[in-house]
Amino acid sequence: MTKKDFYSKAEFFTPDEIFDIQKQRFINILNIIKNTKFSNFYQQKILQHNQNKLTLDNVIAKFNNCNDKADFYNLFNQLIPFTTKQDLRENYPDKLCCFDKKNYVRLHCSSGTTGNPTAIFYTKADLDKWADLMARSLFVAGVRPDDVFQNMSGYGLFTGGLGIHQGAEKLGCLTIPAGAGNSKRQIKLLQDFGVTVIHILPSYALHIAEIISEYKKHQFSNLRIAIVGAEPYSEESRQRIQNALGVKVFNNFGLSEMNGPGVGIECQQQNGIHIWEDSFIAEIINPQTCEILPNGEIGELVLTTLTREGMPILRYRTRDLTKILGNDCPCGRNHLRIDRILGRSDDMFIVRGVNIFPMQIENILMNFQQISNNYVIMLQTNPQSNLDDLHIKVEIKNEFFSEDIRQLQNLQKAIESALHDEILVRPIIELVQHNSLPKSDGKVKRVIDLRQK
Ligand code: DLL
């Protein structure tokens, strides 16, 4: 790739340039926090964290005087407290807003299922920067202004709708706000408008992939890129989507608390997600001890907004588990790469004393060519033994749903033992007919916990 092939010069900043801009932007954020009359959340939190020994002016001066990268991050770790989802819930709806209400032009909410959601407010400048980051992300995945872009994600409070949309428009694509669901209509739009790029959630992509593979391939010959994110998916699932749709799939990461999508994306190398470090500081911590982990160790991703003026969030504990892969990449960008998200710390469940992530199960299931793209994991208490059972229903492709019971039993056993080798618990596998499990066009719920508490 030539160095001229970029959307923003920031993509090719050197590590030193990235550090300089992080420092400058972080101090800027601290000044917003210090000067605001509308939120005392971080003013108090930072003072409490350093036991009132330093004023915010002292904290800012310390960062200002720090010119060494390692010292800066040490200081950051020492002086800046973590923010949790609980903090955001307790301060719902707007206690982190640093400006008067009239300065905000949009809000979104995160996809929480219980209690208060978290609401994020954006000023006009915040929206412009977010659109720019999203446009940059799409460009890095290979999207260009002459592409026709179909956004198959739900619009509304979820940031996957408008967040992606504004990026595609900013880049100059003809952007179709298709929204989620209604597969027949999606396919008609794909065909009628010669769509070249789609944005889609992985669970829905796997579903659409099955429908599309029933059509003749040439009808979608224009389609070349799928931007896929918002929920975890395995490398095997990526391969399935790529093969079925004849596209290259790019893993796209973000969360409402950090604007939404546009926090990072894979480049042409498809070797991990580049986090846009000129706009976010990324760290990986041990979720139990909160210690910073070295590159390569799996832990919880912690992110800080560096450019959002209206509602900065510092050291947000995302609960997403991943590892840092490094900050060099054959594409020439130095923004650090993280591994695909393995799952959320709150997705993990324990069966018979073993910690299991849904993604470990998906990794194994998707290796069986007989299994179609849908499955559900059920946790139940066995009434006889009173122990937890791991019950997995998997859809079988029509061509393998044989009437020969022995064939099905062999397949069932093979899946059971492959899973047992991986997760050390023997699951109960139930093979079900294709299209018999519930489908979702939003974020899918793969685990249903029916255990007696
Ligand atoms: O899901 C933002 C988004 C929209 C990202 C569209 C990408 C595409 P939330 O609803 O706040 O925001 O959910 C954020 O989704 O903490 C992760 O657990 C998960 N997530 C997002 N992207 C990925 C990804 C949007 N590429 C939460 N891989 C995050 C795995 C992802 N999980």
Side-chain angles (χ1 to χ4, degrees):
M1 172 177 297
T2 63
K3 286 212 166 184
K4 288 222 173 68
D5 198 14
F6 52 74
Y7 173 83
S8 154
K9 278 189 187 152
E11 282 165 52
F12 290 99
F13 277 172
T14 63
D16 284 345
E17 284 170 329
I18 291 178
F19 167 63
D20 287 345
I21 201 152
Q22 284 193 331
K23 177 181 160 184
Q24 174 203 322
R25 288 182 168 173
F26 183 60
I27 290 171
N28 209 13
I29 291 288
L30 286 179
N31 277 309
I32 293 176
I33 287 171
K34 185 191 91 175
N35 295 327
T36 176
K37 294 185 204 65
F38 298 93
S39 170
N40 62 5
F41 175 76
Y42 279 119
Q43 295 167 351
Q44 287 183 348
K45 205 171 169 63
I46 294 174
L47 288 184
Q48 277 160 13
H49 184 72
N50 69 60
Q51 292 154 359
N52 296 324
K53 289 192 187 110
L54 294 173
T55 64
L56 261 169
D57 275 322
N58 298 147
V59 170
I60 293 170
K62 277 190 176 275
F63 281 107
N64 250 324
N65 294 334
C66 181
N67 291 316
D68 178 77
K69 213 192 285 191
D71 291 347
F72 181 89
Y73 291 129
N74 277 337
L75 211 55
F76 188 72
N77 189 23
Q78 213 183 311
L79 299 181
I80 306 301
F82 292 106
T83 308
T84 61
K85 185 117 191 156
Q86 188 60 20
D87 288 322
L88 300 189
R89 286 204 167 124
E90 283 168 10
N91 289 282
Y92 177 83
D94 56 5
K95 293 202 194 90
L96 266 73
C97 286
C98 290
F99 295 149
D100 188 329
K101 268 299 160 48
K102 62 175 191 255
N103 294 87
Y104 295 90
V105 295
R106 167 110 59 90
L107 72 79
H108 280 282
C109 289
S110 74
S111 45
T113 42
T114 50
N116 275 340
T118 54
I120 306 298
F121 292 72
Y122 310 75
T123 65
K124 178 77 177 63
D126 292 337
L127 281 191
D128 287 346
K129 287 189 191 119
W130 179 19
D132 216 42
L133 276 179
M134 197 58 240
R136 182 202 295 184
S137 300
L138 296 177
F139 187 93
V140 167
V143 185
R144 293 295 177 268
D146 51 6
D147 273 307
V148 181
F149 190 103
Q150 184 165 329
N151 188 7
M152 299 181 166
S153 145
Y155 280 62
L157 291 174
F158 177 51
T159 52
L162 288 171
I164 300 273
H165 188 104
Q166 65 200 4
E169 271 187 3
K170 179 137 199 178
L171 187 56
C173 303
L174 170 61
T175 309
I176 309 174
N182 196 343
S183 308
K184 273 210 178 118
R185 195 189 55 185
Q186 299 280 8
I187 289 170
K188 183 163 169 46
L189 292 171
L190 284 177
Q191 288 173 323
D192 292 355
F193 298 111
V195 170
T196 53
V197 182
I198 55 173
H199 166 250
I200 187 165
L201 268 57
S203 48
Y204 191 51
L206 287 166
H207 171 57
I208 282 272
E210 284 179 354
I211 301 177
I212 283 189
S213 57
E214 288 158 19
Y215 285 67
K216 287 194 193 85
K217 265 252 157 72
H218 70 263
Q219 290 178 292
F220 299 99
S221 56
N222 289 332
L223 200 56
R224 58 187 192 89
I225 294 177
I227 307 293
V228 180
E231 48 185 14
Y233 58 110
S234 60
E235 189 53 40
E236 286 70 23
S237 295
R238 184 219 296 265
Q239 296 305 334
R240 282 189 177 210
I241 300 167
Q242 294 197 145
N243 293 339
L245 302 186
V247 293
K248 243 180 136 178
V249 164
F250 296 93
N251 195 349
N252 170 43
F253 174 74
L255 55 156
S256 327
E257 293 81 357
M258 298 288 121
N259 294 339
V263 174
I265 198 161
E266 285 179 325
C267 64
Q268 295 303 307
Q269 307 292 324
Q270 295 175 301
N271 61 349
I273 299 162
H274 284 280
I275 299 287
W276 299 125
E277 287 190 276
D278 56 318
S279 301
F280 304 95
I281 294 181
E283 306 164 272
I284 301 283
I285 61 164
N286 174 324
Q288 272 82 43
T289 62
C290 289
E291 275 168 321
I292 308 260
L293 294 177
N295 289 3
E297 281 193 33
I298 295 174
E300 179 178 350
L301 178 65
V302 172
L303 290 168
T304 297
T305 58
L306 289 176
T307 58
R308 198 169 59 211
E309 58 174 19
M311 189 176 163
I313 297 187
L314 310 184
R315 300 192 90 193
Y316 182 64
R317 293 191 56 175
T318 63
R319 305 191 200 178
D320 290 324
L321 299 172
T322 179
K323 59 177 184 286
I324 291 178
L325 298 173
N327 66 352
D328 54 338
C329 179
C331 78
R333 296 180 185 85
N334 294 301
H335 295 262
L336 70 77
R337 281 176 301 116
I338 58 165
D339 203 359
R340 60 173 61 250
I341 306 292
L342 302 172
R344 295 171 57 78
S345 50
D346 39 6
D347 279 349
M348 191 194 75
F349 54 85
I350 303 178
V351 171
R352 302 189 181 204
V354 182
N355 298 351
I356 302 171
F357 282 101
M359 201 45 47
Q360 288 176 282
I361 294 178
E362 178 171 315
N363 276 335
I364 300 292
L365 293 181
M366 293 296 139
N367 275 326
F368 283 87
Q369 50 144 347
Q370 301 92 327
I371 296 181
S372 85
N373 293 338
N374 205 359
Y375 66 96
V376 62
I377 301 167
M378 287 157 67
L379 310 175
Q380 289 164 320
T381 309
N382 185 312
Q384 268 99 46
S385 63
N386 225 10
L387 292 171
D388 292 342
D389 278 340
L390 175 60
H391 185 146
I392 306 175
K393 289 187 181 183
V394 284
E395 282 187 3
I396 298 299
K397 288 181 188 159
N398 282 337
E399 63 264 39
F400 294 105
F401 209 82
S402 135
E403 281 173 5
D404 179 351
I405 193 82
R406 271 168 314 178
Q407 252 183 26
L408 286 176
Q409 279 172 342
N410 286 341
L411 175 60
Q412 197 174 12
K413 281 196 192 122
I415 301 171
E416 265 171 27
S417 66
L419 279 167
H420 182 244
D421 289 348
E422 166 68 22
I423 57 178
L424 309 175
V425 170
R426 191 165 288 281
I428 301 163
I429 299 294
E430 187 181 341
L431 305 181
V432 299
Q433 226 165 338
H434 184 46
N435 270 335
S436 61
L437 294 175
K439 288 172 206 37
S440 142
D441 49 34
K443 296 203 186 199
V444 69
K445 191 164 166 49
R446 293 282 190 208
V447 182
I448 301 174
D449 195 342
L450 301 168
R451 291 177 290 189
Q452 293 150 14
K453 298 268 154 66

